[in-house]
Amino acid sequence: MDGTNEPNARPIAGLFAAVVTPIHDDGRVDFGTFDRIVAFLVESGVSGICIAGATGEYPHFETADRKAVIRRAAERLPDDRALLVGIGAPSIRHAIALGETAIEAGSRALLLPMPMFFRYEQEDLEAYCAHVSGELRAPCLLYNLPDFTNGLASDTVLNLLRGEEFIVGIKDSSGQSENLAILAEAREQQAWTLLVGDDRALVEGLQAGWDGGISGVAGFCPELLVAIYRSFVEGSRGEALRLQTLLDELISQLAPFPTPWGIRIGLAARGIDTGPLPLPVTRRREQQIATFREWLPKWLLRTGIVEEHFVAVAKQ
């Protein structure tokens, strides 16, 4: 596993899969299933994995559980794949504690989401990021996730990238296309890492000059996202656009589900059960899940990326 922790050493490039956190019926982390998911993602060719982001449902887990997941991921990830670790938490103290564990485990970078629940001004968010990154003294990627946390304005992002030694890039999940151009143009010769966090904008971001993406959909369908990234960097732009269209079709099928239910349902449809969903499943949800599970195998084969015997990935 790549454990380089020098800020601004080089941009982090590639396609990273965001990993769900599987659980047993009693809510304990299911490490056996977690291992299977990591192995599946690695075999599919992702550049690395990202744990404890929105896809990992980080607000649902105690700090001790999250530290255990960090260590487990580091143990299971090959040396040629990068580990990115989300350190979002209800307090600065918890965020720093998680960051320290991730650094010790060899995380390539820390993913720093903004505080959630309470609303803050941009000046407050800037102070928060400066403090956490300064305390940890390790590469931090801002995590702009305005659907669930305080959103970052582009000026705030630029202030932090230009002024804070350990803020080295951003994962932008805002879905705001203007951010792609603004940050790419402002980067110039800086070694900032720019990673797309909204799968709908992956090719658009690559076209703007971004370095890759951290993908929730790759958490259960890594083959397609890896193919999009590779097609683009190898110069097959038309193929990348064709595959993006298929990705958009998949995203439209996932849209009815809360984040990240669709990723977990997709894994279950492919043979990896991640345990109970966080809320009781209504009859209407059961019908939606059944419809999606019937649709998914046909779509997977239609992509031309997933061979028939890989539609289900279960390995006993």
Side-chain angles (χ1 to χ4, degrees):
M1 183 189 63
D2 188 334
T4 302
N5 274 342
E6 296 180 10
N8 295 314
R10 64 188 186 278
I12 300 169
L15 193 288
F16 301 85
V19 185
V20 303
T21 309
I23 58 173
H24 294 288
D25 288 344
D26 61 2
R28 291 178 299 113
V29 178
D30 182 348
F31 287 106
T33 299
F34 181 81
D35 292 348
R36 289 181 59 206
I37 294 169
V38 172
F40 164 53
L41 297 174
V42 168
E43 290 169 8
S44 299
V46 297
S47 305
I49 62 172
C50 179
I51 61 172
T55 299
E57 299 175 282
Y58 71 86
H60 291 176
F61 296 94
E62 300 291 338
T63 300
D65 289 334
R66 293 179 61 187
K67 288 182 176 181
V69 171
I70 292 169
R71 298 186 184 104
R72 187 76 166 213
E75 291 170 358
R76 295 300 188 271
L77 203 59
D79 290 340
D80 63 346
R81 311 301 168 93
L83 175 63
L84 307 178
V85 176
I87 59 170
S91 73
I92 287 179
R93 179 169 56 86
H94 289 140
I96 291 172
L98 289 164
E100 290 171 344
T101 298
I103 295 164
E104 292 171 2
S107 177
R108 174 76 187 277
L110 309 174
L111 204 64
L112 179 58
M114 299 306 102
M116 57 187 175
F117 194 80
F118 298 109
R119 299 296 96 186
Y120 296 102
E121 296 181 353
Q122 293 296 303
E123 183 178 83
D124 301 320
L125 302 180
E126 193 169 332
Y128 172 79
C129 294
H131 179 81
V132 173
S133 64
E135 286 290 313
L136 291 169
R137 301 186 63 79
C140 293
L141 302 176
L142 303 172
Y143 185 5
N144 192 20
L145 188 66
D147 284 350
F148 304 107
T149 68
N150 284 265
L152 285 166
S154 57
D155 285 347
T156 304
V157 173
L158 290 172
N159 287 344
L160 288 164
L161 287 170
R162 289 167 174 159
E164 297 300 326
E165 179 182 4
F166 296 99
I167 302 291
V168 301
I170 185 171
K171 174 194 175 185
D172 194 321
S173 298
S174 69
Q176 298 172 359
S177 296
E178 59 270 24
N179 287 348
L180 301 175
I182 290 171
L183 295 176
E185 291 171 4
R187 174 163 59 174
E188 297 179 341
Q189 301 303 312
Q190 302 293 323
W192 300 342
T193 291
L194 304 179
L195 296 174
V196 177
D198 186 328
D199 287 323
R200 297 169 297 179
L202 179 57
V203 169
E204 184 182 1
L206 293 171
Q207 289 174 328
W210 284 46
D211 302 299
I214 300 176
S215 166
V217 172
F220 84 96
C221 189
E223 304 95 333
L224 179 63
L225 278 297
V226 169
I228 291 173
Y229 177 76
R230 288 180 177 171
S231 295
F232 189 90
V233 298
E234 291 170 2
S236 300
R237 306 297 172 85
E239 177 65 1
L241 287 168
R242 182 187 75 84
L243 295 173
Q244 178 73 58
T245 299
L246 287 165
L247 174 58
D248 293 342
E249 184 179 345
L250 174 58
I251 291 170
S252 70
Q253 294 292 322
L254 295 171
F257 299 112
T259 302
W261 286 27
I263 312 305
R264 295 180 60 186
I265 292 165
L267 276 168
R270 299 195 70 184
I272 301 179
D273 187 353
T274 62
L277 295 169
L279 298 182
V281 179
T282 65
R283 180 169 298 180
R284 177 169 165 269
R285 289 297 190 196
E286 289 175 349
Q287 293 171 342
Q288 290 175 328
I289 291 169
T291 299
F292 178 72
R293 293 191 63 156
E294 181 179 357
W295 174 86
L296 181 62
K298 301 171 186 176
W299 176 87
L300 284 168
L301 293 176
R302 187 157 53 82
T303 66
I305 301 299
V306 182
E307 298 178 16
E308 185 168 2
H309 58 290
F310 287 126
V311 169
V313 298
K315 295 180 180 178
Q316 303 300 328

